[in-house]
Amino acid sequence: MEAMRLSPVNATKLKRLLLGALTENINDREMFMKGIDYSYYYEQDD
């Protein structure tokens, strides 16, 4: 949260966090399906 709060002034921390979450496997079907599964998980009502 601190990285988001500081991003208008200095986006370095936010960029570092995002780069760690990126993948090079953009043509991997398993990775694609996992992304869809996660998107449905976040939309579910508890």
Side-chain angles (χ1 to χ4, degrees):
M1 294 302 270
E2 181 185 351
M4 290 177 60
R5 185 177 60 79
L6 294 174
S7 66
V9 178
N10 183 0
T12 305
K13 288 184 180 181
L14 188 57
K15 286 180 183 178
R16 192 176 319 137
L17 287 171
L18 291 174
L19 284 174
L22 294 177
T23 181
E24 300 263 337
N25 300 334
I26 60 172
N27 293 322
D28 184 10
R29 178 175 168 77
E30 183 178 344
M31 182 68 68
F32 177 76
M33 296 306 288
K34 185 188 292 187
I36 291 175
D37 287 342
Y38 277 114
S39 69
Y40 282 114
Y41 171 76
Y42 288 119
E43 293 178 10
Q44 289 179 351
D45 291 332
D46 289 331

